[in-house]
Amino acid sequence: MIAFITGATSGFGKATAELFAKNGYNVVITGRRKERLMELSAYLKSTYKVEVLYLNFDIRHLKEVEAAVNSLTPEWKKINVLVNNAGLAVGLNPIQEGVIDDWERMIDTNIKGLLYITRNLAPIMIDNGYGHIINIGSIAGKEVYANGNVYCATKHAVDALSKGMRIDLLQHNIKVTAIHPGMVETEFSIVRFKGDEERAKNVYKGVKPLSADDIAETIYWVASRPEHVNINDIIIMPTAQANPTNTLRK
Ligand code: NDP
Ligand code: 8X3
């Protein structure tokens, strides 16, 4: 069994790669930070005795995505599960003060990057006659909060694309699931606040957020349902969070 996980250098992606490896999957791990991919690859191989392929590329660049997918050998093309996880929020500004470069990074990564990967891997799954695409959306793809504007729009796009993919891939025996987490403590807020670790920590102050392992377990659970069962859509939140703006802080 093979799982192809984008954005495996940190957060959900890294935890998911480990959980699939622990369960005997060979894994393809991707991301821009090569050192981290190399470290994770060595760790997974030695700890779980599975095969690991790391592909170091920027998901925003179509040519890099194509080259990475074209480098897969026939054995590595037998992908059972694709986790479209790579993504980010950058900035938290009202629309009238939005930073165009931040918007482009989010749109290029969360929407176009996810599309580039899917466009290149779905035909391989179709040829194989099986596959499961698990898209990581967000509660920001179900609701909108102040200053979340463009990030929320990109995750609403992931929600819509997941529904569209499910229809288009139905005839090809390919499952499509979308998972929409609330607050999870990873490097997400550090990236959103451009390295301001203090501001990032404040996001989780007084709250017990979800962990990357909570999301990995959800992804693995979804992927391990019987052949005839598909989980279409999941919203998963910390107990202390009702929606993006109502959080119980102690
Ligand atoms: P992290 O910042 O910890 O991880 C993000 C991952 O995405 C990294 O591995 C990063 O790798 C990769 N990535 C980002 N940009 C690119 C790119 N251009 N090319 C390739 N890989 C890229 O965040 P999370 O684990 O929290 O986030 C994972 C997903 O979950 C994202 O889609 C995020 O929007 C979503 N999400 C997060 C929530 C949270 O509260 N944490 C809640 C809901 C959804 P590298 O930098 O090495 O390229
Ligand atoms: C991350 C969760 O609420 O910060 O997608 O948008 S939120």
Side-chain angles (χ1 to χ4, degrees), residues 69-225:
V69 173
N70 287 337
S71 76
L72 294 172
T73 60
E75 273 312 300
W76 278 111
K77 282 185 176 164
K78 295 176 187 162
I79 298 163
N80 301 87
V81 181
L82 162 63
V83 184
N84 267 326
N85 164 74
L88 77 183
V90 197
L92 190 67
N93 300 315
I95 198 81
Q96 64 277 16
E97 292 168 20
V99 177
I100 302 291
D101 184 58
D102 293 352
W103 292 358
E104 284 174 347
R105 284 176 63 192
M106 290 188 278
I107 291 166
D108 289 352
T109 311
N110 301 354
I111 306 178
K112 291 169 68 180
L114 180 144
L115 283 170
Y116 294 163
I117 289 283
T118 305
R119 178 64 184 84
N120 278 275
L121 288 182
I124 293 175
M125 289 182 161
I126 290 171
D127 282 350
N128 292 342
Y130 57 83
H132 190 167
I133 299 175
I134 302 177
N135 292 329
I136 304 302
S138 169
I139 189 61
K142 298 287 190 182
E143 301 183 36
V144 177
Y145 51 85
N147 305 326
N149 44 64
V150 175
Y151 178 67
C152 295
T154 65
K155 290 300 185 175
H156 275 70
V158 173
D159 192 28
L161 287 168
S162 301
K163 291 176 191 159
M165 285 181 198
R166 193 174 303 119
I167 298 165
D168 297 344
L169 296 171
L170 174 66
Q171 62 181 311
H172 297 292
N173 191 38
I174 295 170
K175 299 185 189 189
V176 178
T177 299
I179 300 179
H180 307 275
M183 193 184 277
V184 193
E185 191 163 8
T186 60
E187 293 178 12
F188 176 84
S189 292
I190 299 172
V191 172
R192 170 170 252 176
F193 299 127
K194 303 176 183 175
D196 184 340
E197 298 200 12
E198 271 315 300
R199 193 171 173 200
K201 254 189 224 146
N202 275 336
V203 172
Y204 311 107
K205 208 170 179 179
V207 183
K208 186 168 171 50
L210 296 172
S211 68
D213 287 337
D214 294 323
I215 305 304
E217 280 172 22
T218 307
I219 294 170
Y220 186 76
W221 178 77
V222 159
S224 55
R225 292 310 81 216

